[in-house]
Amino acid sequence: MSKAVALVVVLFFVLFCGECYGELRFGFYKGKCGMTDVERVVRNVVEIWHFTKKEKAIAAALLRMQFHDCFVNGCDASILLDGVNSEKTALPNKSVRGYELIDSIKHALEAECKGLVSCADIISMATRDAVVLSGGKWYNVETGREDGTVSLASNVNLPGPSLSVSDSIKVFDKKNLSSTDMVYLLGGHTVGITHCSLIQDRIYNFNNTNGPDPTMSQWLLSELKKKCPRVPSNNDNIVPLDMKTPSLVDKSFFQEIQKGNGILEIDQQMALDKSTKDIVGDIVKDPNFFTKFGEAMVKLGKVEVLTNGQGEVRTSCRVVNKKPLFFGMFN
């Protein structure tokens, strides 16, 4: 091949790399599975779970799954892998759910286009679809991720609900997410839940004061005392993180924390801390909340992704692919 021809070939790949496999982009799977619309297949399964299986809380489950996955080794679906010491077994992940839905989506996609769609991309697409079904607005999802092959409970180090705003900002910054991104993403708590055991101290013994967190409104304190008695019962009661519209993805969460109705300490502090107070205020007044929430989710989906052969496309989301064995080649 002459130097001139070689240069033309190189320029061709540089100019059209946006059309190559392995790039994280919108519409990555378009045309790669014949007439099958990959995103439509995902959406169909999510809709079945939402309507037929009456799984109305699936948005909260998937938002949490995506966050927990992306903050450990990046968005590589490592949280889906089974194993005695996998990420699933870490304490913060023991209440993560939605795995069966991801399995159902993967099964449907494998039947249509075997070995094409990564589990990491399924999480991202399914989360978006669940958000839409819960009152949110559509946002385009970038795809083209590959799946990781390492999943260790020891790698799970997620920011906790009592972390200060300044420390939370530092954690998000390490993932190339700004303080504004952090506020929008924690706004996913609009459909989240917690348990009384995790907020008991805020109600009865905040910072060892033998009293409640003074940042809570009197209304919230009264409501939480009803749900979470001082002497816990055998049932660890569930508390919605947005007491007003617990099943809808909307701005109500931010309106509530402005009123002192934040359930988690970090949520309440976002409305009070000088670093995030104005961001919360802007969100409450912003008519483009849904667009910006979607943009934050897309940015989350870019965290430390694997592409271009760095990972694999798992046949099953629960196990890594078996490597082929070659015998007799040099015998």
Side-chain angles (χ1 to χ4, degrees):
M1 181 184 294
S2 69
K3 290 183 179 180
V5 173
L7 179 61
V8 169
V9 172
V10 170
L11 287 174
F12 176 85
F13 281 106
V14 169
L15 290 172
F16 294 97
C17 64
E19 299 300 319
C20 300
Y21 289 80
E23 298 297 324
L24 195 66
R25 66 179 187 273
F26 300 114
F28 175 82
Y29 294 109
K30 189 174 182 179
K32 290 186 172 69
C33 187
M35 298 298 291
T36 298
D37 183 340
V38 165
E39 295 200 27
R40 180 70 255 186
V41 173
V42 175
R43 192 153 61 251
N44 286 344
V45 179
V46 175
E47 287 174 351
I48 289 171
W49 277 67
H50 181 81
F51 294 113
T52 307
K53 294 180 178 288
K54 306 298 182 184
E55 181 58 282
K56 301 296 185 182
I58 198 62
L62 293 181
L63 281 166
R64 188 161 180 245
M65 177 187 287
Q66 183 171 3
F67 183 85
H68 282 220
D69 181 51
C70 291
F71 263 65
V72 180
N73 294 336
C75 308
D76 65 349
S78 53
I79 195 172
L80 303 180
L81 289 170
D82 289 335
V84 292
N85 294 309
S86 71
E87 289 175 30
K88 282 182 180 179
T89 67
L91 185 60
N93 288 338
K94 286 188 175 180
S95 57
V96 172
R97 57 189 195 83
Y99 300 118
E100 292 79 9
L101 170 58
I102 301 299
D103 290 339
S104 294
I105 296 170
K106 182 62 174 174
H107 180 77
L109 287 170
E110 287 294 300
E112 294 284 343
C113 31
K114 190 173 180 61
L116 177 66
V117 185
S118 70
C119 303
D121 278 345
I122 290 173
I123 292 175
S124 185
M125 290 184 284
T127 300
R128 182 268 315 278
D129 296 335
V131 165
V132 172
L133 290 170
S134 297
K137 302 299 182 184
W138 179 269
Y139 56 92
N140 288 318
V141 169
E142 288 185 312
T143 44
R145 300 167 191 79
E146 294 171 357
D147 300 321
T149 57
V150 176
S151 181
L152 296 171
S154 57
N155 288 337
V156 177
N157 184 23
L158 296 162
S162 61
L163 200 65
S164 70
V165 170
S166 59
D167 285 341
S168 293
I169 289 173
K170 292 174 185 176
V171 171
F172 277 74
D173 181 64
K174 289 179 181 178
K175 303 297 181 182
N176 292 319
L177 297 167
S178 68
S179 56
T180 299
D181 295 326
M182 180 191 81
V183 175
Y184 272 101
L185 291 171
L186 291 182
H189 288 167
T190 183
V191 287
I193 61 167
T194 190
H195 291 266
C196 287
S197 60
L198 296 177
I199 57 172
Q200 201 83 4
D201 60 332
R202 285 198 75 209
I203 307 170
Y204 300 108
N205 190 27
F206 182 67
N207 288 343
N208 296 315
T209 59
N210 202 34
D213 183 342
T215 64
M216 283 196 292
S217 71
Q218 287 302 308
W219 174 84
L220 178 62
L221 180 59
S222 175
E223 291 297 308
L224 290 182
K225 283 183 175 180
K226 295 174 190 175
K227 291 178 176 290
C228 308
R230 181 184 286 272
V231 180
S233 64
N234 291 330
N235 296 322
D236 193 3
N237 293 337
I238 290 173
V239 180
L241 297 180
D242 179 352
M243 300 281 278
K244 293 297 185 181
T245 58
S247 61
L248 292 177
V249 174
D250 58 14
K251 290 197 292 185
S252 171
F253 168 82
F254 296 102
Q255 295 165 345
E256 290 306 303
I257 63 175
Q258 277 192 324
K259 297 174 185 176
N261 295 335
I263 307 300
L264 300 179
E265 186 176 349
I266 180 61
D267 292 347
Q268 187 56 65
Q269 287 303 315
M270 283 197 303
L272 301 172
D273 191 277
K274 63 181 181 180
S275 300
T276 51
K277 180 180 180 179
D278 289 343
I279 299 172
V280 171
D282 289 342
I283 290 173
V284 169
K285 295 180 290 186
D286 191 352
N288 296 316
F289 162 72
F290 291 110
T291 298
K292 293 179 181 178
F293 176 77
E295 290 171 352
M297 289 298 296
V298 170
K299 197 169 177 183
L300 171 66
K302 293 180 178 180
V303 171
E304 299 167 14
V305 295
L306 302 175
T307 60
N308 297 315
Q310 294 173 318
E312 64 180 18
V313 175
R314 291 187 217 134
T315 302
S316 165
C317 291
R318 292 178 179 265
V319 295
V320 298
N321 294 339
K322 292 181 178 179
K323 302 301 181 185
L325 298 175
F326 297 96
F327 295 103
M329 187 176 294
F330 300 105
N331 290 345

